[in-house]
Amino acid sequence: ANPAPNTTVKLAGIGTVYLNFQSKSVSSTNASIDSDAIVVQVTTANSLNVPIGSLILVGHAAVTGTGSLSGALTGTAYGTSLTGGLITSSPSFPASVSPTGVPATVTSNGAGVTAGILSTGAISDTANGSVTASTLSAATSSSVAKVALTGILSANAVKASASATQANGKVTLGGTVSLTSLKIGGVTIAIPSNPPPNFTIGITGGTVILNHQVKTADGITVQAVVVEVAAVGTLVIGSASAGVTG
């Protein structure tokens, strides 16, 4: 069996057993990991007379690396934002990549957003990162179950994903968008389920951009839907960015 890291099992009459116990530490000058196959933490008076507070370790290993880390990560995912109009809404439920990759995964979830004519369903944002001596990797994604901008636009299952990886001196960037049931002004719009970058649709008084992408040498920002209407402002639905420096 291969138990997941830090699997916890309560042991009656003894305390707690941890399987595949792992402890990590990363700073600007070193990284280390300690791993124990089994850790028994005694928290209860017992018939074996093992003192409370004792730790029993089975199969211990530790690795430490020193020296400057190869770089840092950037990236944030958020569900929605509304700017430039009478009603504004800051980025909802943001999740940001740790610059060092620790913790490796950050999540932020919410039931949705309501701000004036904007309403959404559940929002789920995730940020992942990894830093090693040879590779940097950042990836984020934002999923919005449904969104409606009253009288202007609605859509379901909106998702944006962004990734950035640096290895062997080369940076690779990626970005994807998916959505379904797009309606503009109440009319269903036939679009690819995975629209190409910067797919633009003209609407009365503004524009709708699907899979809006902006790239730099070491980063990418992907926004699933961007609505720009003078009377409303700029609405972003499903934003994901990722970058690597070093």
Side-chain angles (χ1 to χ4, degrees):
N2 297 291
N6 301 315
T7 297
T8 302
V9 180
K10 294 296 183 181
L11 185 61
I14 296 292
T16 304
V17 177
Y18 300 94
L19 306 178
N20 191 10
F21 183 83
Q22 295 186 13
S23 175
K24 300 177 182 179
S25 175
V26 177
S27 72
S28 61
T29 58
N30 64 74
S32 64
I33 180 171
D34 285 77
S35 179
D36 298 282
I38 302 172
V39 176
V40 180
Q41 182 180 27
V42 180
T43 60
T44 304
N46 55 86
S47 60
L48 300 176
N49 295 318
V50 178
I52 294 174
S54 296
L55 289 176
I56 303 170
L57 310 181
V58 180
H60 176 78
V63 175
T64 299
T66 60
S68 297
L69 296 178
S70 59
L73 313 176
T74 60
T76 298
Y78 62 86
T80 60
S81 71
L82 181 59
T83 58
L86 295 176
I87 297 174
T88 62
S89 176
S90 59
S92 57
F93 309 105
S96 295
V97 176
S98 167
T100 63
V102 178
T105 301
V106 177
T107 60
S108 182
N109 304 307
V113 171
T114 300
I117 63 173
L118 168 65
S119 63
T120 78
I123 294 173
S124 178
D125 298 318
T126 302
N128 296 291
S130 173
V131 174
T132 70
S134 60
T135 304
L136 305 173
S137 178
T140 66
S141 66
S142 177
S143 297
V144 182
K146 61 182 179 179
V147 63
L149 196 61
T150 304
I152 298 174
L153 173 145
S154 64
N156 294 335
V158 179
K159 183 175 183 178
S161 300
S163 64
T165 303
Q166 179 180 329
N168 300 318
K170 180 182 179 181
V171 175
T172 302
L173 305 174
T176 61
V177 161
S178 61
L179 70 158
T180 63
S181 306
L182 176 65
K183 292 184 179 181
I184 296 177
V187 178
T188 299
I189 306 297
I191 60 167
S193 58
N194 302 103
N198 302 311
F199 188 93
T200 302
I201 303 170
I203 62 174
T204 301
T207 58
V208 174
I209 305 172
L210 307 180
N211 194 5
H212 181 251
Q213 293 194 12
V214 176
K215 293 182 179 180
T216 65
D218 55 12
I220 182 172
T221 297
V222 181
Q223 294 168 329
V225 182
V226 178
V227 182
E228 296 178 333
V229 178
V232 176
T234 299
L235 169 65
V236 174
I237 308 163
S239 180
S241 63
V244 291
T245 57

